[in-house]
Amino acid sequence: MTIEERAVAFPCNGDWLYGILSQPGPASSSKGVLIVVGGPQYRVGSHRQFVLLARHLAFHGIPVLRFDYRGMGDSEGDARTFEDLEDDLRCAIDHFFEIAPSLGEVVMWGLCDAASAALFYAHRDERVTGLVLLNPWARTDGGFARTHLKHYYANRLFEKRLWEKILRGRFDYVEAVRSLARTVGASIGSRRSNAVEQDTAGAADACALPERMRAGLALFSGKVLLVTSGNDLTAREFLDTVEASPRWRELLASPRVSRFHLPLATHTFSRREWRDQVATHTAEWMRSW
């Protein structure tokens, strides 16, 4: 199948946003993909992943729009974080429907904090019927500390490079002890804070990022594909959060949720084989419903 790529521009609250439409031939799917870009980066993605993903999907008949939200890449406006993308995403979807004649519904595809942004937005827009969430960003100070203790420090004991440093006298024991002490302190402090929050009816808990993400997923009624990497502390923190929460586990056990885990992959799927697996699985999942 031949595909066409062209630059697009559309307004958002007085600023101009710029992106690329990857459009298949006449046999286009009624499902399109909006690639939500995590920060701070622009529509190309790490290792050109978003470019290659868009072309792969378009080659298989799926129209794709990737764009720079305000303050990033070529787009105008003040810089913003994943917490404040609702208007940008709505304007992008509006324009997507204008320029892709076959479009009837949209799947949002997001890596890291772009996955979090997609969870905040998707339930607010009935045109969004699917989510692809890759290594979602569910960072809290306590969660980050516990993830490091559970995964990073334990894994380091088996690293050849660590023991080579020790044997050659190049290991900084003082800094290592300080780093471990800071991490343990953050973990203990978070547990104490959580206990206090629970004693005060959990008001602060409801404002925590993982809980807001869970609430967004609970309100979304469409299909979900969760993709996680085995060699990524962000993914591990998210999965640990899920494991510790009955409400998260119940949501992800739903028949509408599919999961795909790459045990050796890094956060940004930096090798070609991982990137290609993600692209292939995304296309197959979209064709499955």
Side-chain angles (χ1 to χ4, degrees):
M1 178 180 292
T2 59
I3 66 172
E4 173 195 0
E5 289 190 312
R6 59 187 174 95
V8 299
F10 54 93
C12 181
N13 295 348
D15 296 313
W16 282 95
L17 277 58
Y18 298 92
I20 301 292
L21 173 70
S22 298
Q23 180 74 41
S28 293
S29 167
S30 62
K31 293 191 191 84
V33 170
L34 179 73
I35 296 179
V36 184
V37 177
Q41 60 177 318
Y42 75 126
R43 63 185 181 271
V44 170
S46 301
H47 329 291
R48 300 180 71 242
Q49 182 182 18
F50 301 158
V51 176
L52 298 169
L53 171 68
R55 290 173 179 172
H56 177 91
L57 295 178
F59 184 79
H60 287 85
I62 301 169
V64 182
L65 176 63
R66 51 191 172 88
F67 76 105
D68 299 333
Y69 56 78
R70 284 173 293 172
M72 289 301 300
D74 293 317
S75 293
E76 300 175 346
D78 296 330
R80 61 203 61 246
T81 71
F82 72 98
E83 300 266 14
D84 189 27
L85 295 184
E86 181 175 347
D87 289 347
D88 302 68
L89 296 174
R90 179 169 284 107
C91 290
I93 293 174
D94 289 345
H95 191 65
F96 200 1
F97 271 83
E98 291 175 8
I99 60 178
S102 68
L103 204 60
E105 53 192 303
V106 169
V107 170
M108 300 178 73
W109 191 104
L111 168 66
C112 192
D113 62 8
S116 310
L119 282 170
F120 294 156
Y121 178 85
H123 66 91
R124 304 174 187 273
D125 192 331
E126 63 183 10
R127 298 171 296 182
V128 179
T129 58
L131 290 172
V132 182
L133 310 172
L134 302 94
N135 299 328
W137 176 264
R139 176 61 45 84
T140 63
D141 290 342
F144 181 70
R146 288 190 293 274
T147 299
H148 263 66
L149 285 174
K150 182 178 179 180
H151 301 289
Y152 174 76
Y153 287 106
N155 290 341
R156 283 219 71 192
L157 294 175
F158 299 97
E159 288 183 359
K160 181 181 178 181
R161 286 180 297 177
L162 171 65
W163 293 104
E164 287 177 347
K165 282 185 177 182
I166 292 174
L167 292 173
R168 293 174 182 174
R170 297 177 180 175
F171 185 71
D172 189 340
Y173 291 93
V174 174
E175 179 54 33
V177 170
R178 286 175 178 169
S179 176
L180 179 59
R182 288 194 296 267
T183 303
V184 171
S187 178
I188 293 173
S190 171
R191 291 183 185 276
R192 289 174 177 169
S193 175
N194 285 344
V196 172
E197 288 169 5
Q198 289 170 5
D199 289 342
T200 57
D205 229 19
C207 296
L209 176 58
E211 177 59 22
R212 288 187 288 126
M213 292 166 62
R214 187 206 62 79
L217 181 57
L219 291 169
F220 179 65
S221 59
K223 300 284 189 177
V224 178
L225 173 61
L226 173 64
V227 181
T228 50
S229 300
N231 186 20
D232 175 36
L233 289 177
T234 297
R236 288 182 181 273
E237 182 176 357
F238 174 76
L239 293 174
D240 286 349
T241 297
V242 169
E243 183 60 30
S245 168
R247 290 184 295 180
W248 262 114
R249 293 200 304 272
E250 181 182 0
L251 273 177
L252 294 185
S254 167
R256 68 188 177 94
V257 178
S258 302
R259 297 177 68 163
F260 182 50
H261 184 68
L262 285 77
L264 301 179
T266 58
H267 182 64
T268 58
F269 307 92
S270 52
R271 291 185 179 175
R272 179 177 180 177
E273 61 184 291
W274 302 329
R275 182 199 73 221
D276 289 350
Q277 284 177 302
V278 169
T280 299
H281 201 80
T282 299
E284 291 175 349
W285 173 76
M286 290 190 64
R287 286 195 296 266
S288 72
W289 53 281

